[in-house]
Each structure stands twice: as C-alpha cells, then as structure tokens.
Amino acid sequence: MHSTVKRGHGKMISEGEVLQEGPSVNNPSGDLFSISLLEQDLFWEDEELLSLFSREKEQQASVGVSNVESDPFLSRARQEAVEWMLRVIAHYGFSVLTSILAINYLDRFLASPCFQRDSKPWMIQLVAVTCLSLAAKVEETHVHLLLDLQVEDTKYLFEAKTIQRMELLVLSTLKWKMHPVTPLSFLDHIIRRLGLKNNVHWEFLRRCEHLLLSVVSDSRSVRYLPSVLATATMMHVIDQVETFNPIDYQTQLLGVLKMTQLHLFVNRLR
C-alpha cells in the first residue's frame, strides 16, 4: 500500500506521485537536485564536513577490531539483537536516529574486551536492552520504563536494576561517548546542502533512512566507515529517484566528499 502525504487544500497524493512532482517556482525543472547541488552551495559548510571526517577517523582508531563478521555465532546473535531492537523501536515509534545509535552502541560494545565470546546466551539480550534504553534516553523526548522496553517476543526479562547496572558498564566501556559520528551524520549534512524544499526531497531523505537501516542491520556493515555507508546509500537512492541524469549528480556528490577529504589530508601535512 502506498503511503500518502497532504498537498495544499487537503488533497492526498500517493508516494508514487511525490517522485513525479512537477515544476514549481523554486524548482522550475522539477528535478530532485536542480536547485540543490549548485557549486556555490556545495562548499559553504566544508568546515563541518571536515570535522565529521576528522571525528570519524578518531572514532575508528578508538574502537577495537570487531569479530562479529568473522564469528558465525556472534554474527547470528547480533542479527537477532538488532532485529529485536528494531521491532521495539517500530512498536514505540522511535526515530531513525535512535535506531542507528542503539546499533552503534551495540557494535562498539561487542568489539570491546568487556564482551566475552563465551558469554551466557542471555548476555547479548541484556546488552541489546541496555543499548536501546541508552539510545532512547539520548534521542527520545519520552522514555519508557525499562520493563516496558522488553516487548516484542523478548527471550529474557530483566529487572530494572539489572539493566541499570549494565547501563553503567556500557557507558564506561564506550567512554561516555554517546553522540558518535554515524552514517546519519553525513546523510543529514548532505541533505541540508540539498535544501529540503519540497516533497521530492523529503521522499529522498525517507528512502535514504529506510535503506540505511537495512544496511546497518547487516553484520557486514561493521567493516565500513559511516561516511562510506552514507555515500553508498545516497548514490543508490539517487539512481532510483533521479531518472534523467543520476550519474551527473552522483559524480558531483562524490566530488564534494573527495575534495573535502583531500583538504583534510593537506591540513594534516601542514
């Protein structure tokens, strides 16, 4: 079933119609990027993008090597934990950022020495509840009770005090860095450069977020930098929604990111 959004005078339009929205005063051609990826607009926030790349590198260096991808048991356990977290997030209508943060906390904890490969079967479920709780406290305006988070066919039920103790362990292990650079950091930055001015742009963002959730749910995603995941996601969605000249816009997007990285590299040499 197609989702719908409201247009002027209360008229409802389908998701398919959004992608075919016609010309407007601000966007005469009706193309997704015609008003956005202009040369004078692409570089005005370079310092912020430079900061994201720099923080990403520091973050990568501080996180240990994850065994999730190479360990079938751990990979399966992570998959089950992520799928459960996403069901709970959908149940309560939490944001995409809450989802990304919860998965980020989980992956960073699993890569730390604190998590032992031979842990009890219930341990990763406790970690998943804890990471979801912490992500909700960081991002959501309304935080549910710890017992209320344990829904959607959870295998084990933990007392609130048990989760609270685990929260302290996770916070300590993650060094209280609860606002990491994620793929959404880069996606949000580029989206702001695009200038969300109509339903086509919002649909682009929605598709990127939906695809990004599918990507980070896969244990193979842990090997890639957030910027790589964000770029690949946007490239794929551009190819889907821009029917006229997607290659031009993809090349332009890559050019911005590469030039910013080159600028960062040169600055480090000085």
Side-chain angles (χ1 to χ4, degrees):
M1 181 175 67
H2 292 297
S3 62
T4 57
V5 294
K6 284 189 177 180
R7 184 177 277 171
H9 307 295
K11 181 181 178 181
M12 303 303 293
I13 58 177
S14 70
E15 179 178 306
E17 289 178 309
V18 170
L19 296 180
Q20 300 173 7
E21 188 175 58
S24 66
V25 175
N26 293 326
N27 187 4
S29 68
D31 292 344
L32 173 62
F33 295 103
S34 60
I35 62 170
S36 306
L37 289 176
L38 300 176
E39 185 175 357
Q40 64 266 32
D41 297 326
L42 287 172
F43 300 96
W44 74 281
E45 285 185 323
D46 261 3
E47 288 303 315
E48 180 182 343
L49 190 53
L50 283 170
S51 176
L52 285 177
F53 278 122
S54 180
R55 289 172 55 203
E56 177 184 61
K57 293 294 184 183
E58 295 174 359
Q59 184 173 292
Q60 181 189 28
S62 64
V63 177
V65 178
S66 177
N67 296 320
V68 169
E69 188 182 1
S70 59
D71 187 328
F73 169 80
L74 196 54
S75 178
R76 185 169 58 256
R78 177 199 183 272
Q79 180 180 351
E80 292 177 356
V82 170
E83 289 176 352
W84 174 80
M85 287 194 298
L86 292 180
R87 289 199 301 270
V88 177
I89 287 169
H91 178 88
Y92 287 115
F94 291 161
S95 69
V96 175
L97 181 54
T98 298
S99 306
I100 297 295
L101 288 177
I103 296 173
N104 176 278
Y105 300 162
L106 176 67
D107 287 335
R108 286 162 60 195
F109 187 82
L110 294 181
S112 72
C114 289
F115 184 81
Q116 302 298 322
R117 165 64 174 76
D118 56 353
S119 298
K120 299 294 184 181
W122 50 263
M123 177 57 72
I124 196 165
Q125 175 67 36
L126 176 57
V127 175
V129 175
T130 301
C131 291
L132 177 56
S133 169
L134 291 172
K137 290 176 180 177
V138 168
E139 176 61 17
E140 300 298 327
T141 55
H142 175 66
V143 180
H144 297 269
L145 297 175
L146 293 175
L147 288 177
D148 292 340
L149 288 178
Q150 300 179 79
V151 294
E152 295 296 329
D153 300 323
T154 180
K155 292 183 179 180
Y156 305 95
L157 189 64
F158 304 100
E159 294 182 354
K161 61 182 181 181
T162 302
I163 301 174
Q164 290 168 346
R165 286 197 296 267
M166 180 56 73
E167 282 182 336
L168 292 176
L169 177 59
V170 171
L171 286 169
S172 175
T173 301
L174 303 187
K175 300 180 180 179
W176 293 79
K177 296 180 179 179
M178 312 311 287
H179 296 278
V181 174
T182 70
L184 275 184
S185 306
F186 290 93
L187 178 60
D188 289 344
H189 177 88
I190 296 299
I191 288 295
R192 277 189 278 110
R193 287 193 174 195
L194 298 180
L196 291 172
K197 298 180 183 295
N198 55 38
N199 289 329
V200 180
H201 292 94
W202 286 115
E203 176 63 13
F204 175 71
L205 174 60
R206 188 194 68 79
R207 288 195 179 207
C208 284
E209 290 180 340
H210 179 75
L211 179 58
L212 192 56
L213 274 181
S214 298
V215 171
V216 299
S217 297
D218 192 315
S219 61
R220 292 172 293 182
S221 66
V222 299
R223 74 171 94 163
Y224 297 105
L225 291 171
S227 58
V228 174
L229 296 176
T231 303
T233 297
M234 287 186 282
M235 293 279 283
H236 180 78
V237 175
I238 287 174
D239 192 52
Q240 286 186 324
V241 302
E242 182 52 63
T243 57
F244 296 104
N245 51 354
I247 296 179
D248 289 347
Y249 298 127
Q250 290 169 341
T251 302
Q252 214 167 358
L253 173 61
L254 287 177
V256 175
L257 298 174
K258 288 179 180 177
M259 290 189 68
T260 306
Q261 285 184 307
L262 178 61
H263 184 189
L264 178 61
F265 177 73
V266 170
N267 284 343
R268 286 178 174 175
L269 293 179
R270 290 175 178 173

